[in-house]
Amino acid sequence: MAKIAMVAGEASGDLLGYHLIQELKSLHPDIQIFGIAGPKMMSLGAKSLYPIERLSVRGYLEVLRHLWGLLKLRKELLKQILIQKPDVFIGIDAPDFNFWLEKKLKAKGIATIHYVSPSIWAWRKNRIHNIKRAVSHILALFPFEPPLYQQIGVPVTYIGHPLADALPMEPDVPQMREKLKLKKNSVVIALLPGSRQSEVIFHAELMLETAISFERLMRENGNTVQFLVPLVTRETRDIFQNAWHQLLTQKPDIDIDMQIMFGHAHEAMIAADAIVVASGTATLEAALLKKPMVITYKMSNMSWQLLKRMRLQPYVGLPNILAGEFIVPELLQKDANPEQIAQTLYNLLADKTGLAVLREKYRAIHTQLKQNSAQKAAAVIRQFLPTAS
């Protein structure tokens, strides 16, 4: 019986793991998978030894606050993996956590596959040499990544992005709005403050104030607007709801149609006319669903200053990185203020010619990334399993 250790670090990794496990189970119905998994992976039988939320920390200061616990967890997990002796270890994203594990496991003779190349093309390029020592194979989601690894002899396969396979080229917006019981004549805006608790803490008030500013702009021009806020976990939903209740206490005259959702991010994005999104995988999801967006992000000032010095590209959003140009606006850190985000969002929706051009750029990205990625990833992994033919 094939046995795989798998570690996903956050909601996006859980989704990648989910699609991968589906494909692996079609090849090996009795396969055993254990490690750190989210709810989607666990729904397919993956056993999670620790909660995925333990790894969902972003920003240097935030990581430092949790560092002792993360180091202890990683050592305990290494012991568990060595005891169970899997055929292969798959680290899904979470590079700072997983590469240490992969290096230790590879030294013990366990094949290590890293699923999702870290963004060495964006910052900390010298990491590639540590990656070479840690991995047996890299699964790359983006077409510009393999040449970077091939130059130094790291086995790599471009598999495309699972989201490009899963999401429709042309989503059915009217059907989704009917399913969500939205008003027919309202403009619909999705607010995505992030999947991590630390992200929602930084973005909740920003996005709520943005909603207030945008609703005012729309009302002044005779339009009504509804806001959808999909949140991944109960913890992130509680953080956002508390911020909303606090704002309503301070400004009791606010009258905004705000629907806070538990999950259903894709449904909210499909239904939306436009999206305000914290930088991350959700920006790619929004692009694949052909939605105009404003990308925003805030973190502690010290974390921002450190990150800014190591950036190799002028943009942080995946749609812009894949296009090689600013096709969607980014308002980050000091530029991330409610009035500016709201006005930028309003201007986007008003530019009908620009929206048509944007949709064509999105379609090109979607076509490039649609590669039957789970099937390609499983084919690579199968080479490391005892039942491989």
Side-chain angles (χ1 to χ4, degrees):
M1 181 185 295
K3 186 187 291 186
I4 295 177
M6 198 177 290
V7 172
E10 57 180 311
S12 60
D14 183 37
L15 183 61
L16 293 174
Y18 173 81
H19 292 299
L20 178 58
I21 292 171
Q22 278 186 319
E23 188 64 33
L24 288 170
K25 279 186 170 289
S26 73
L27 300 172
H28 304 272
D30 61 347
I31 199 166
Q32 290 185 358
I33 296 169
F34 70 95
I36 297 180
K40 289 184 178 295
M41 292 167 65
M42 288 191 287
S43 73
L44 296 177
K47 182 181 179 183
S48 191
L49 304 178
Y50 303 92
I52 195 171
E53 277 289 326
R54 293 279 297 275
L55 302 189
S56 299
V57 182
R58 170 163 285 190
Y60 292 103
L61 294 182
E62 292 76 15
V63 170
L64 284 174
R65 280 198 288 269
H66 295 86
L67 184 59
W68 175 249
L70 287 169
L71 294 176
K72 184 180 178 183
L73 184 155
R74 194 167 62 176
K75 287 182 179 180
E76 291 173 353
L77 181 60
L78 175 63
K79 289 179 183 177
Q80 293 282 344
I81 294 171
L82 290 173
I83 288 169
Q84 298 201 41
K85 296 179 181 178
D87 299 297
V88 63
F89 173 86
I90 303 171
I92 304 176
D93 213 353
D96 292 322
F97 187 91
N98 277 326
F99 283 135
W100 182 90
L101 278 175
E102 288 161 11
K103 187 176 180 181
K104 297 288 185 182
L105 292 169
K106 188 180 179 185
K108 294 289 185 179
I110 296 174
T112 57
I113 297 175
H114 195 78
Y115 188 6
V116 183
S117 165
S119 49
I120 53 173
W121 31 267
W123 64 297
R124 288 172 61 193
K125 189 173 183 178
N126 289 336
R127 286 178 293 173
I128 195 167
H129 301 290
N130 291 327
I131 295 170
K132 183 177 182 179
R133 289 188 285 271
V135 304
S136 305
H137 206 102
I138 284 272
L139 300 176
L141 305 190
F142 302 119
F144 51 78
E145 293 174 326
L148 300 174
Y149 291 100
Q150 291 163 351
Q151 286 174 7
I152 66 165
V154 178
V156 58
T157 301
Y158 170 56
I159 62 169
H161 204 292
L163 287 170
D165 298 319
L167 297 178
M169 189 65 73
E170 297 296 337
D172 192 334
V173 178
Q175 182 187 56
M176 187 58 66
R177 291 188 178 184
E178 186 175 343
K179 178 182 175 181
L180 296 178
K181 297 180 172 59
L182 301 176
K183 297 171 185 174
K184 289 186 177 180
N185 297 321
S186 285
V187 172
V188 179
I189 304 296
L191 305 175
L192 281 79
S195 61
R196 300 177 179 90
Q197 294 180 42
S198 57
E199 289 176 320
V200 180
I201 288 169
F202 270 103
H203 298 137
E205 185 179 352
L206 171 67
M207 292 203 172
L208 288 166
E209 292 282 5
T210 295
I212 293 170
S213 295
F214 184 77
E215 192 276 338
R216 187 184 305 118
L217 283 172
M218 297 299 288
R219 183 165 24 90
E220 288 171 354
N221 289 275
N223 298 306
T224 59
V225 59
Q226 291 179 275
F227 296 94
L228 304 177
V229 191
L231 294 156
V232 177
T233 64
R234 285 184 175 84
E235 291 81 4
T236 53
R237 186 177 60 173
D238 289 345
I239 291 167
F240 196 91
Q241 283 182 324
N242 289 338
W244 180 226
H245 292 150
Q246 192 171 15
L247 193 61
L248 289 175
T249 301
Q250 296 168 356
K251 303 178 180 180
D253 58 330
I254 292 173
D255 183 18
I256 288 182
D257 190 339
M258 178 87 64
Q259 184 177 339
I260 298 175
M261 308 165 71
F262 190 20
H264 303 290
H266 287 168
E267 289 88 338
M269 285 193 271
I270 289 171
D273 290 292
I275 300 171
V276 180
V277 55
S279 179
T281 304
T283 64
L284 178 61
E285 295 173 73
L288 293 173
L289 291 170
K290 319 302 180 299
K291 299 298 176 176
M293 73 185 89
V294 177
I295 297 173
T296 188
Y297 208 86
K298 296 193 81 167
M299 59 177 67
S300 69
N301 189 55
M302 185 174 291
S303 292
W304 173 255
Q305 292 303 324
L306 288 169
L307 182 63
K308 190 167 67 170
R309 291 188 184 116
M310 291 186 285
R311 279 171 60 185
L312 301 176
Q313 297 200 34
Y315 15 69
V316 301
L318 283 168
N320 293 332
I321 291 167
L322 286 161
E325 60 177 315
F326 280 104
I327 62 172
V328 296
E330 296 180 1
L331 297 173
L332 313 173
Q333 206 63 3
K334 288 183 179 179
D335 292 330
N337 65 76
E339 292 75 20
Q340 192 168 350
I341 296 172
Q343 187 64 58
T344 302
L345 188 64
Y346 184 86
N347 294 345
L348 273 178
L349 289 172
D351 183 5
K352 303 305 179 185
T353 301
L355 291 177
V357 171
L358 181 62
R359 278 191 288 271
E360 287 305 312
K361 291 180 185 289
Y362 283 160
R363 288 190 187 98
I365 290 172
H366 199 150
T367 300
Q368 187 179 43
L369 296 182
K370 191 176 176 66
Q371 299 284 326
N372 293 318
S373 60
Q375 189 177 70
K376 288 187 175 182
V380 172
I381 293 162
R382 198 178 186 191
Q383 299 171 34
F384 295 90
L385 300 178
T387 53
S389 57

